[in-house]
């Protein structure tokens, strides 16, 4: 009997990433379709179902080869029912994603938060390396989090667990955040936040290689900020210090509570690699309890854009 | 057939609290013995076994009536093996508590951290009311924590989960903490920390009813500080604001990560009741994500000193 495959689906504001994945977490085939936000996103379940049929046909496989679908979605989700209360980027409001997708595909569907499935992907097949206690932080346009404790993803009382990007790191006078609060971790440690800090640091005209990059390309990436800091640029170093101080302190406080074996850092900002991890770990170790710091290993996420679809397949596998 | 009982044991630096508890969490009998710290605490397993035999005899019951023992202990513990790496207050170092107590009693034994079993007690029979996602904070001489997520206590990678008393709330210039760091939550929100803040606030001679209490009794309790604040004493209000600001912010950041249904506040400081919860919740709601705040209910712990033995019985019950 042929081993069945799982379908991992990672729904973003622009594209929907999809993959057929084996029970061991190996990707058989992966592809993307555009996110159709017309009509309040109501056509998305049909689009996903059609994409699954097409890809199966293309691979010469029957849809019977598929066991279940695991979906990561943005927004506020009821994980038990797969109901999306609201996902602003997609246009969904009170949208029965699980039911609709089950109807369109005839397959069992399970839905979780996009940051959570990325954390599960890293736990299963990425740098989490099977750790049963894992803290994942994604530094992208925003800051997302996923927490695995006792081998399970934490969803919390109403699906909000892992929202560490909105931990307050500057209690008074912080920058406004998209969530309506101010001084959230996301305002300083996201790609957007880091670029803003760099632009502010350059505003007084201090000499910096970042000023040259800005002049040449009209923009600075967070990776360039970390590289310039490593090469001794003082403006870049001050920005890196500010980012790593706040992020390191926030992660240390979470680690005292969760005592993770791995802290996995992903998202666009993590492309800075060791230039990010070295100063980050040094701040973390100032603030974490020594035994907590001993127990925690920092890792850059290794699955990149595949984390979501692999984590989607993992939650689909839990259905069987 | 008679329903078996579980033995809950809560080992502290001065006394060992013990109880026989039914499978429904009802206390049949509870008592205390002194903690014998002589000889590095090595006689404690024997003392506990002897106390169990005596109490059984006193109740006219055979020891066969007992099913299992659940122990809460201070210090650094390996929960899987019931091995205590170190418990400074008791004198234990590399102490095989579980094995020794099983040998002395002939009953299966499970060991967890004292703050964790108190949290489990509150979850099972106290103000946690069976919530599967629960954050417990104990404001006593120190600040302890216990986290229940997905219905399970979190232990973490090396038994340190829940150590939220050592979350850094004052990053620069905070008071030294017993853990070796500075500015820990414990330095401001423990009974000791609150009294210190009150003494500092009185040091400049500001008029305050607390100054009168201090003169009359030579000491101020944290409960008196909260009561004076409620009655409009400005010195007391400034102390309460400082405590609740730091504690509310720390709990909000943890709640964004854990999304608990209940936040249970226990320990001596919680005797202030609503005088503590009102200002604390107000700070919490400033910093928690709105949906996280909506999902979280604050409660004063209701089991008091019984939380540990009831939680001990709960973990013993999980053995069967």
């Amino acid at each position: 009997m042929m081993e069945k495959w799982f379908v991992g689906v990672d729904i973003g504001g622009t594209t929907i990433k999809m993959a057929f994945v084996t029970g061991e977490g190996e990707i058989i085939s992966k592809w993307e379709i555009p996110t159709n936000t017309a009509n309040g996103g109501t056509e998305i379940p049909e689009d996903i179902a059609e994409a699954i049929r097409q890809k199966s046909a293309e691979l010469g496989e029957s849809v019977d080869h598929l066991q279940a679908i695991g979906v990561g979605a943005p927004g506020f989700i009821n994980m038990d029912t797969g109901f999306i209360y609201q996902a602003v980027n997609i246009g969904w409001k009170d949208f029965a994603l699980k039911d609709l997708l089950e109807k369109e595909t005839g397959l069992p569907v399970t839905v979780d938060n996009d940051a959570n499935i990325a954390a599960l992907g890293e736990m299963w097949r990425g740098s989490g390396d099977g750790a049963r206690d894992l803290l994942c932080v994604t530094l992208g346009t925003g800051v997302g989090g996923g927490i695995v404790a006792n081998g399970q993803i934490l969803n919390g009382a109403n699906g909000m667990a892992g929202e560490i990007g909105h931990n307050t790191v500057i209690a008074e006078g912080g920058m406004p955040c998209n969530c309506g609060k101010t001084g959230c971790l996301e305002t300083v440690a996201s790609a957007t936040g880091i670029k803003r800090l760099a632009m502010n640091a350059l505003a007084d005209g201090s000499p910096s290689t970042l000023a040259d990059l800005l002049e040449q390309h009209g923009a600075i990436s967070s990776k360039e900020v970390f590289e310039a800091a490593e090469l001794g640029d003082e403006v870049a170093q001050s920005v890196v210090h500010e980012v790593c101080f706040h992020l390191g302190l926030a992660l240390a406080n979470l680690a005292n509570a969760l005592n993770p074996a791995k802290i996995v850092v992903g998202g666009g900002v993590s492309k800075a690699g060791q230039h990010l991890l070295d100063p980050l770990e040094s701040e973390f170790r100032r603030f974490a309890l020594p035994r907590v710091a001993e127990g925690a290993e920092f890792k850059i996420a290794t699955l990149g854009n595949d984390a979501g679809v692999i984590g989607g397949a993992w939650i689909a596998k839990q259905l069987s």
Side-chain angles (χ1 to χ4, degrees), chain A residues 83-225:
Chain A
F83 187 87
I84 317 278
Y85 298 109
Q86 185 161 29
V88 177
N89 292 344
I90 313 284
W92 287 334
K93 204 166 159 56
D94 296 330
F95 191 73
L97 178 60
K98 171 186 150 85
D99 291 349
L100 292 164
L101 192 54
E102 286 186 339
K103 198 168 145 242
E104 292 289 341
T105 60
L107 289 168
V109 172
T110 181
V111 179
D112 206 321
N113 176 287
D114 48 2
N116 287 351
I117 63 163
L120 288 167
E122 288 290 341
M123 172 192 82
W124 191 24
R125 295 289 305 182
S127 54
D129 206 18
R132 289 174 55 81
D133 296 284
L134 177 111
L135 176 55
C136 238
V137 57
T138 305
L139 310 174
T141 315
V143 171
I147 298 168
V148 178
N150 289 342
Q152 300 175 336
I153 196 81
L154 299 192
N155 286 317
N158 55 10
M160 294 293 284
E163 286 287 353
I164 64 177
H166 300 289
N167 278 16
T168 301
V169 298
I170 300 173
E172 310 286 351
M175 291 293 291
C177 182
N178 289 329
C179 74
K181 301 194 298 142
T182 62
C184 293
L185 181 58
E186 181 162 305
T187 66
V188 295
S190 63
T192 330
I194 295 168
K195 281 180 223 169
R196 184 184 53 74
L197 290 173
M199 297 301 283
N200 288 353
L202 289 173
D204 70 355
S206 305
S208 163
T209 54
L210 295 178
D212 309 337
L213 285 170
L214 185 61
E215 206 174 320
Q216 286 161 35
H217 309 123
I220 311 169
S221 73
S222 57
K223 184 161 177 261
E224 287 165 339
V225 175

Side-chain angles (χ1 to χ4, degrees), chain A residues 122 127 135-139 247 251 262-267 269-271 273 276-277 280 297-302:
Chain A
E122 288 290 341
S127 54
L135 176 55
C136 238
V137 57
T138 305
L139 310 174
L247 182 57
L251 291 176
K262 307 262 181 186
I263 298 176
V264 177
V265 185
V269 174
S270 74
K271 288 184 188 147
L276 163 65
L277 287 197
L280 178 58
E297 191 184 5
F298 273 80
K299 289 276 192 182
I300 294 288
T302 54

